[in-house]
Amino acid sequence: MIIDIHGHYTTEPQALHTFRDKQLAGLADSARKPGSTDLGITDETLVKSVEPQLKFQKERGGDLTIFSPRAGGMAHHVGTEAVSLEWTRICNDLIYRICKLLPDSFVGVGQLPQSPGVSPKNCIPELERIVKELGFVGVNLNPDPSGGYWTDPPLIDKWWYPLYEKLCELDVPAMIHVSSSCNPNFHHTGAHYINGDTTAFMQLIQGNLFKDFPTLRIVIPHGGGAVPYHWGRYRGLAQDMKRPLLKDPLLKNVFFDTCVYHLPGIELLSKVIPVDNILFASEMVGAVKGIDPETGHHYDDTKRYVDQLRLSEKDRLKIFEGNARRVYPRLDALLKKRGR
């Protein structure tokens, strides 16, 4: 199987955006907030809305996408904790419906109702709901709910520990994924996303998180941001701080995806990061939608890059399927139950 672990619902029906506009307008004027959370979106509309993903999935040789709400749409910095919770449940429920309608193509991952300055433990009820009731196999965790200002403690702080305890209990991984940026210095997909990935990894170097949570699994998307390119810098910093070498404390628990949009980048990733820590992903339809004039193919057609790597078939299978089944054990159990 070809399992894409990083897909977002970026082709939502207009009704969802209309609801969000009214919800946010209601922050200024309660009379303008929506009167119901029933969006009136039919199953037929949902299926039609994901036709672009299904088309690319088929054309590019994919089999299954781990599917979550639009990352930029989480916007945890907007509104109150109550607004975040309402919005999160609506978005997660749409993902659930799509996965029920198209179970051979999509498996769900959810967002959390995070809010700046609010304890992550408040997210636990929604985490339990999406895993136990909706059958989701993972979750996206925003390390910066402030939207580019980084006002909450770093990921190694005990502020986050109640959430980590629940992730371990449920045996689901967390993909570290920031949302939109309200800081004008940081373009959200070109700078804020990569900043978030890189910052999260450096925070992990500075602490002992996996000593406290040896079974916690963290996925860093977008190829790990700047991490593979500057692996020597991070190894050196760890050494200077009298930390263990990176492979020992981190690579048992930290994984990277292949959302890197050119062959040299994927080649670098595969040379620096062990194969056991690389999971196939494309982020389609996501940050980059165009066609690369140098290749004639979409930038986010990342399978083409992995296909060109000089790997054994055993290692290629790990990237495309085996590592995803290992890092997402609930996915593996679901697929086995379906005979896949």
Side-chain angles (χ1 to χ4, degrees), residues 48-332:
K48 185 173 180 57
S49 73
V50 294
E51 285 179 354
Q53 283 91 344
L54 293 171
K55 177 176 180 290
F56 283 138
Q57 191 182 77
K58 182 178 181 180
E59 290 177 351
R60 299 176 185 181
D63 294 301
L64 183 72
T65 300
I66 295 180
F67 206 48
S68 64
R70 181 192 294 262
M74 296 188 297
H76 294 121
H77 59 280
V78 178
T80 63
E81 180 185 8
V83 166
S84 181
L85 177 58
E86 181 180 60
W87 176 240
T88 294
R89 289 179 66 94
I90 287 172
C91 292
N92 286 339
D93 286 346
L94 286 180
I95 295 297
Y96 170 71
R97 288 176 61 192
I98 290 169
C99 294
K100 290 290 286 184
L101 291 165
L102 298 162
D104 291 335
S105 299
F106 299 107
V107 171
V109 158
Q111 71 183 55
L112 293 173
Q114 297 177 249
S115 190
V118 176
S119 172
K121 71 181 180 182
N122 290 16
C123 297
I124 290 176
E126 179 64 6
L127 173 59
E128 290 190 310
R129 185 183 81 93
I130 62 176
V131 173
K132 294 181 178 180
E133 298 179 24
L134 306 190
F136 286 10
V137 300
V139 68
N140 292 336
L141 176 62
N142 187 350
D144 173 34
S146 71
Y149 289 97
W150 295 88
T151 56
D152 281 355
L155 292 171
I156 56 174
D157 192 271
K158 291 188 177 181
W159 166 266
W160 300 91
Y161 273 30
L163 188 60
Y164 296 152
E165 290 172 0
K166 184 57 63 173
L167 288 169
C168 292
E169 177 188 319
L170 296 172
D171 202 18
V172 293
M175 176 178 281
I176 301 301
H177 209 309
V178 295
S179 185
S180 51
S181 171
C182 60
N183 185 331
N185 290 289
F186 303 119
H187 181 278
H188 82 281
T189 55
H192 186 46
Y193 279 20
I194 308 305
N195 292 348
D197 307 331
T198 309
T199 298
F201 187 78
M202 188 63 217
Q203 289 177 357
L204 295 176
I205 290 176
Q206 294 174 274
N208 291 301
L209 182 60
F210 302 116
K211 181 179 180 181
D212 293 336
F213 298 98
T215 62
L216 179 65
R217 296 180 302 281
I218 297 291
V219 179
I220 300 182
H222 319 116
V227 171
Y229 188 73
H230 286 289
W231 191 252
R233 175 181 291 260
Y234 294 113
R235 289 184 68 243
L237 288 169
Q239 182 173 311
D240 289 346
M241 292 186 290
K242 311 301 181 185
R243 310 293 297 167
L245 293 178
L246 297 186
K247 288 185 179 181
D248 297 327
L250 292 185
L251 293 189
K252 294 177 183 178
N253 304 84
V254 179
F255 305 87
F256 303 80
D257 76 14
T258 64
C259 291
V260 179
Y261 294 152
H262 64 153
L263 178 59
I266 292 289
E267 289 176 329
L268 174 68
L269 177 69
S270 69
K271 289 177 181 178
V272 174
I273 304 300
V275 167
D276 287 343
N277 293 79
I278 302 174
L279 286 72
F280 174 68
S282 70
E283 204 181 359
M284 69 175 191
V285 177
V288 178
K289 301 180 179 67
I291 292 175
D292 186 343
E294 294 182 1
T295 66
H297 300 289
H298 285 85
Y299 287 97
D300 62 1
D301 186 358
T302 55
K303 182 177 179 294
R304 288 181 177 274
Y305 312 137
V306 178
D307 285 340
Q308 295 176 68
L309 295 178
R310 294 182 179 180
L311 297 172
S312 68
E313 285 310 303
K314 180 180 179 181
D315 284 346
R316 202 180 311 276
L317 179 63
K318 286 182 178 181
I319 292 176
F320 280 138
E321 177 182 6
N323 293 341
R325 286 180 177 263
R326 179 167 53 89
V327 176
Y328 293 80
R330 286 180 178 266
L331 170 66
D332 184 51

